Amino acid sequence: MLIASVVTDVIGIDKQFDYLVPPGMDGSLEVGCQVRVDLAGRRVGAWVTGLRRDDLPLGDDRRAPGAPGSPGSPGLRPEPDRSLPPGRSSQAPTGSLKAIAKMKGWGPQAEVVDLAGWASWRWAGRKAHFLAAASPERAVRRLVQPRLCRPAPPSSKLLPRTVGVHVVRIGPASDPTPLVADAAQLGPILVVVPTHTRVSALAFRLRRAGGDVAVLPDGWAQARSGSAVVVGSRGAAWAPCPGMAAVVVVDAHDELYASEAAPTWSAVTVAVERARRQGVPCYLLSACPGAELLALGPSWSPRPDTEASGWANLEVVDQRAEDPRSGLYSGRVVELVRTPRRVACVLNRTGRFRLLACANCGAVARCEVCDAAVSSPQAGVLSCKRCGESRPCVCSYCTSIRLSALRIGTSRAREDLERLSGRTVGEVTRSTGELPCADVLVGTEALLRRLDPAAGFDVVAFLDFDQELLAPRVSAGEHALALVSAASRLVRGRRGTVLVQTRTPDHYVIAAAAAGDPGVAVEAERELRRMLRLPPFAAVAVVSGHAAPGWVENLRSLKLPALEIHGPSTPGEDARPGVRTEWLVKAPEHRTLCDALSLPERPAGRLRIAVDPANL
DNA sequence: CGGACAAGCTGA
DNA sequence: CAGCTTGTCCGG
């Protein structure tokens, strides 16, 4: 009699259950398959996480015979089963088992099911979260013909063939296609790319080179059946790739790889672990690898001679030397937008006015309900982003109606630039639908993601680069450098110009960008992280939510010597009163941290554990 | 998660 | 003590 262990897709039932496999199903059912089962009077979806004959002794025999696996290499933590309280068996008496109600379709490969178990430990999340990420959007009932035709190789070998993580430095304007094609010569490969637009672009080029490419999420069935290249955005780190021979992460420094919602898994970390378990090379491509990436493996450049030329010419405008009345638009910016060149201006603030002060008494305009600084999305109105309150544009202290803009947003910048340039200016933010057709654009960071190098822009100007450089986050410097890298890609390296307006022109990030050498910045970043004891020099988790106080108390009472627990703290002015109290848990490395996080008894209620949150 | 059931509260 | 709310437990 065949018995299947399953994990349900109901978040909140974080347990394994055993079911009988009905006789008609036992030929087709595999570990990873999606099924429906009856549980406590309702029918729920589930994944098969293990299969065994009931006459065999207990144990983990979920792996199909002969399937590739990780024979406990050094440093590998045996996969813990967080779904069960320690010491209690998952077995129910065989006689009382129900049968699986229905077969839904194909699911993740057995090794990805194991990987999901590891991820639930690594990010203190629930298995179902990760299994869902590894599953097709719609049920896949049957597989198709494998298509294993490799793309044509580049003229010379570009990547090292050795197993392990390789941080591959390439210029920001370099096309990753030849490197991906080179990796594909090893066998089927998994490729992760930050945005969907760039996924399509890469897939197009690989197909033109004769390769069979499955594009996630639509191509899940093709990927599961077998494809020479499986490519997709963040979620593709979980995609099926039978016979996987290498993993490639394009622009591995990109913040889009980190999931903001808990569990805060990172596609880069998943890719690295997946390659390690499979015993295949993992190539992390980046123009500006930061301290965390560089800690993952040796870094190296396939074309050191052309790396720097991928960075645009950097023009630094020292705002301290400008007429203060010129505001965000230095003489040089005005000059550039008046030429027929195509210019993209970046200002990372949406709306019209983001911070206003009374021209009469100097008071900053605040919300009368919750006291946060208010903005002015349209003329004559002040509105609060935090509580949604709006009121007319009048100073609450001296009733003056003259308010001056301390910080303007992209809407106002668009009007200003149109006036200064005499040309049509388009605005691009995250919520912009179709890209406006104009030779001068102003927008947030979304502008850099949305535009394609083929759009032919000559200049990218960062109107307030200090906002990026001096942002109150540990990764501010790395993020700022990544922005210059993205801008360099857009203007096609040395063929274009990136201009930054700043009051800190001696900042090491600017020096690194000017030299086209991210290494200049990395040492400073490493020192900062070492000093603050942050990743990669430590592992951290931020704990919050209704059940957090009790849970942290339980964690404290375990008195684990390697663990540091800070808090409770209520961060900054953004905190609504009484909400989002946080605790910070620190350990020397992830293994200690994640082991500790799985120990305390979980009180009822919401508990958010963010391991390695992106916005520290 | 959501149903079952037990324990606690209320009003007559 | 019926009728209701609130809390805890458990599912194969």
Side-chain angles (χ1 to χ4, degrees):
Chain A
M1 204 171 355
L2 195 58
I3 296 172
S5 310
V6 308
V7 168
T8 71
D9 64 5
V10 184
I11 302 295
I13 308 182
D14 195 26
K15 271 178 158 188
Q16 287 203 48
F17 297 97
D18 286 348
Y19 283 85
L20 289 176
V21 179
M25 224 181 263
D26 63 4
S28 53
L29 204 67
E30 303 186 358
V31 168
C33 277
Q34 294 186 268
V35 294
R36 291 185 70 76
V37 296
D38 293 315
L39 180 72
R42 56 190 169 140
R43 188 160 286 193
V44 298
W47 290 272
V48 175
T49 55
L51 283 170
R52 63 168 194 279
R53 299 260 159 213
D54 71 340
D55 45 278
L56 289 181
L58 309 179
D60 187 357
D61 61 342
R62 59 176 64 170
R63 221 180 274 287
S70 47
S73 54
L76 169 62
R77 189 183 188 288
E79 187 203 321
D81 194 345
R82 295 168 33 82
S83 57
L84 296 165
R88 237 200 296 152
S89 153
S90 73
Q91 307 303 307
T94 309
S96 69
L97 294 185
K98 294 184 183 176
I100 291 174
K102 198 171 162 237
M103 166 90 178
K104 210 160 79 179
W106 289 84
Q109 297 165 275
E111 57 256 41
V112 178
V113 173
D114 284 350
L115 189 71
W118 168 83
S120 73
W121 167 79
R122 177 62 175 73
W123 287 286
R126 290 170 164 153
K127 251 187 197 160
H129 261 125
F130 302 108
L131 290 170
S135 300
E137 282 176 354
R138 282 184 304 277
V140 170
R141 300 212 138 270
R142 54 172 36 117
L143 299 187
V144 295
Q145 195 65 28
R147 297 207 318 245
L148 296 168
C149 207
R150 296 169 189 184
S155 48
S156 62
K157 242 194 227 176
L158 298 168
L159 295 169
R161 265 36 179 176
T162 49
V163 170
V165 178
H166 304 275
V167 178
V168 181
R169 266 171 52 168
I170 57 172
S174 300
D175 175 12
T177 311
L179 292 163
V180 174
D182 191 34
Q185 305 311 309
L186 293 166
I189 58 167
L190 184 65
V191 187
V192 194
V193 182
T195 64
H196 200 265
T197 317
R198 295 184 64 197
V199 168
S200 315
L202 178 64
F204 174 80
R205 294 194 178 115
L206 291 167
R207 283 178 180 144
R208 202 174 48 189
D212 286 322
V213 183
V215 178
L216 271 287
D218 296 350
W220 195 95
Q222 183 63 61
R224 186 68 173 77
S225 314
S227 183
V229 181
V230 175
V231 53
S233 52
R234 179 170 77 196
W238 298 100
C241 186
M244 187 177 84
V247 183
V248 183
V249 181
V250 174
D251 275 356
H253 59 270
D254 201 303
E255 290 178 346
L256 286 180
Y257 286 132
S259 158
E260 289 205 357
T264 54
W265 62 278
S266 149
V268 178
T269 312
V270 173
V272 167
E273 176 66 11
R274 195 166 168 187
R276 196 191 64 73
R277 291 172 162 238
Q278 196 80 10
V280 302
C282 180
Y283 304 108
L284 305 178
L285 276 42
S286 175
C288 46
E292 280 179 281
L293 280 184
L294 290 169
L296 293 171
S299 101
W300 148 99
S301 173
R303 304 281 307 275
D305 48 322
T306 63
E307 193 185 338
S309 67
W311 291 80
N313 302 299
L314 191 75
E315 229 181 284
V316 182
V317 172
D318 185 348
Q319 289 176 294
R320 296 171 304 184
E322 291 287 316
D323 182 338
R325 282 167 303 173
S326 64
L328 278 181
Y329 320 102
S330 61
R332 180 59 179 148
V333 164
V334 173
E335 188 186 326
L336 282 169
V337 294
R338 282 186 179 159
T339 62
R341 271 178 276 222
R342 309 196 70 193
V343 185
C345 299
V346 179
L347 179 63
N348 240 346
R349 295 186 294 261
T350 55
R352 226 171 109 83
F353 301 122
R354 286 304 290 276
L355 185 63
L356 301 102
C358 176
N360 186 35
C361 72
V364 169
R366 288 171 178 278
C367 174
E368 295 183 336
V369 174
C370 74
D371 212 35
V374 289
S375 59
S376 174
Q378 47 184 296
V381 181
L382 294 177
S383 82
C384 176
K385 282 218 152 183
R386 192 153 86 187
C387 68
E389 182 73 13
S390 354
R391 63 181 168 102
C393 221
V394 180
C395 174
S396 338
Y397 302 95
C398 72
T399 69
S400 166
I401 54 164
R402 282 181 53 231
L403 297 181
S404 55
L406 293 185
R407 295 262 189 282
I408 67 161
T410 49
S411 305
R412 177 53 190 257
R414 194 195 66 78
E415 297 163 18
D416 291 344
L417 284 165
E418 215 154 56
R419 194 162 31 77
L420 290 167
S421 66
R423 302 159 80 188
T424 308
V425 178
E427 182 186 357
V428 180
T429 65
R430 201 154 52 114
S431 50
T432 303
E434 193 146 324
L435 277 177
C437 182
D439 288 337
V440 181
L441 293 176
V442 62
T444 58
E445 224 179 290
L447 181 62
L448 298 176
R449 298 208 177 276
R450 296 282 303 275
L451 282 177
D452 195 73
F457 273 77
D458 308 296
V459 182
V460 172
F462 290 92
L463 299 182
D464 188 358
F465 200 57
D466 289 334
Q467 191 196 349
E468 318 295 346
L469 281 181
L470 309 174
R473 352 172 0 195
V474 188
S475 50
E478 290 174 356
H479 182 64
L481 191 58
L483 287 175
V484 178
S485 154
S488 295
R489 200 177 73 84
L490 198 56
V491 299
R492 293 151 299 159
R494 274 289 133 81
R495 291 158 71 178
T497 297
V498 169
L499 180 147
V500 296
Q501 299 195 122
T502 176
R503 290 188 168 80
T504 53
D506 302 323
H507 198 285
Y508 60 83
V509 165
I510 293 180
D517 179 7
V520 173
V522 164
E523 262 322 301
E525 297 289 341
R526 278 177 61 84
E527 261 331 294
L528 178 67
R529 285 167 177 274
R530 194 199 308 275
M531 205 174 66
L532 298 173
R533 286 191 306 120
L534 290 173
F537 302 101
V540 298
V542 175
V543 182
S544 60
H546 194 238
W551 185 87
V552 172
E553 200 38 61
N554 293 344
L555 182 64
R556 278 211 171 100
S557 68
L558 295 170
K559 300 212 185 308
L560 300 166
L563 224 57
E564 268 174 59
I565 305 172
H566 305 276
S569 66
T570 43
E573 62 161 290
D574 280 341
R576 264 152 288 195
V579 188
R580 199 143 198 87
T581 312
E582 297 182 330
W583 284 260
L584 189 69
V585 185
K586 258 192 198 183
E589 22 83 45
H590 280 112
R591 198 182 150 154
T592 321
L593 179 74
C594 299
D595 280 348
L597 295 179
S598 63
L599 294 176
E601 203 66 34
R602 234 177 146 122
R606 291 185 73 81
L607 179 67
R608 187 190 131 104
I609 303 177
V611 181
D612 305 337
N615 51 348
L616 256 179

